[in-house]
Amino acid sequence: EAGVAQSPRYKIIEKRQSVAFWCNPISGHATLYWYQQILGQGPKLLIQFQNNGVVDDSQLPKDRFSAERLKGVDSTLKIQPAKLEDSAVYLCASSAGLAGPNEQFFGPGTRLTVL
Amino acid sequence: SQQGEEDPQALSIQEGENATMNCSYKTSINNLQWYRQNSGRGLVHLILIRSNEREKHSGRLRVTLDTSKKSSSLLITASRAADTASYFCATPPRTSGSRLTFGEGTQLTVNP
């Protein structure tokens, strides 16, 4: 079974530039998550989708971050404009369902460095 | 604020020894999950324990859950160098479905 795919793996940009990350979840997984993981910390949920609808975006800095999952499969996360504090690993995860105990499967992440 | 907090922050042991990591959380939960993260394989789910379970085993892993103390522990027996990684506990609060809140993690180093 193919895992969660993410691209790019690494990205270096200057502050105030824009950047986009792409995620392809495990086939058939309805729920997709984007996490931000700052060095030395645990992952923090940014946004959660159920199919193509947003379930939880309470921790997404909406003035600069946006995400979409138009067809309920792939998803993109965008930062515009980037700040120095956005340097982190951005993890995408998927799970089979919304309710109940569900294992989340994580992609390899995109390491973003903002200079 | 973090829902889960792991203790210790860092742990260094010799191969063959056991490693114990603890996690405390704040709100009621349906289940608690442990994940491992290393540079080679990213973040990987290890084990899930439900709120009505007290102990669960998976291979060399043993997880306990004490809901009265809002705490959990992860024991890795007969550790190997390949167990070197960061270990996180994660909880979905009872009211928020599948959303996970991760702790800061315990960095485990197993020396050959």
Side-chain angles (χ1 to χ4, degrees), chain B:
Chain B
S1 62
Q2 293 290 341
Q3 163 73 325
E5 294 184 4
E6 290 88 348
D7 169 56
Q9 287 188 323
L11 181 61
S12 181
I13 59 174
Q14 296 298 123
E15 251 187 340
E17 294 180 340
N18 296 339
T20 299
M21 288 159 271
N22 302 297
C23 167
S24 59
Y25 59 91
K26 298 175 183 176
T27 63
S28 296
I29 58 172
N30 289 317
N31 65 79
L32 185 144
Q33 303 176 32
W34 284 91
Y35 285 78
R36 179 182 65 210
Q37 185 176 42
N38 58 31
S39 58
R41 293 196 59 197
L43 200 63
V44 175
H45 180 270
L46 293 176
I47 195 167
L48 180 153
I49 185 167
R50 298 172 190 260
S51 58
N52 62 354
E53 296 177 309
R54 291 296 168 258
E55 187 171 314
K56 199 162 185 179
H57 297 255
S58 177
R60 293 183 296 110
L61 305 180
R62 172 177 168 255
V63 169
T64 62
L65 179 65
D66 186 337
T67 54
S68 66
K69 295 181 179 178
K70 292 187 170 57
S71 67
S72 174
S73 67
L74 170 68
L75 169 67
I76 304 174
T77 60
S79 63
R80 305 167 183 169
D83 295 327
T84 294
S86 292
Y87 292 81
F88 297 90
C89 66
T91 54
R94 190 179 294 275
T95 58
S96 70
S98 62
R99 172 187 171 180
L100 288 178
T101 302
F102 285 82
E104 298 287 315
T106 291
Q107 173 60 50
L108 173 66
T109 301
V110 181
N111 300 299

Side-chain angles (χ1 to χ4, degrees), chain A residues 76-115:
Chain A
T76 56
L77 175 70
K78 297 179 181 178
I79 307 175
Q80 181 180 12
K83 293 185 175 182
L84 296 177
E85 58 261 35
D86 297 333
S87 293
V89 176
Y90 290 85
L91 297 165
C92 179
S94 69
S95 66
L98 176 63
N102 277 296
E103 174 184 352
Q104 293 187 18
F105 296 83
F106 284 80
T110 297
R111 183 176 297 276
L112 173 68
T113 302
V114 182
L115 303 176

Side-chain angles (χ1 to χ4, degrees), chain A residues 3 9 12 17 19 27 29 38 41 44 55 59 61 72 79 110:
Chain A
R9 292 294 308 276
I12 300 173
Q17 287 187 323
V19 65
S27 178
H29 278 191
I38 293 171
Q41 299 181 15
K44 183 186 81 171
V55 173
Q59 298 190 99
I79 307 175
T110 297

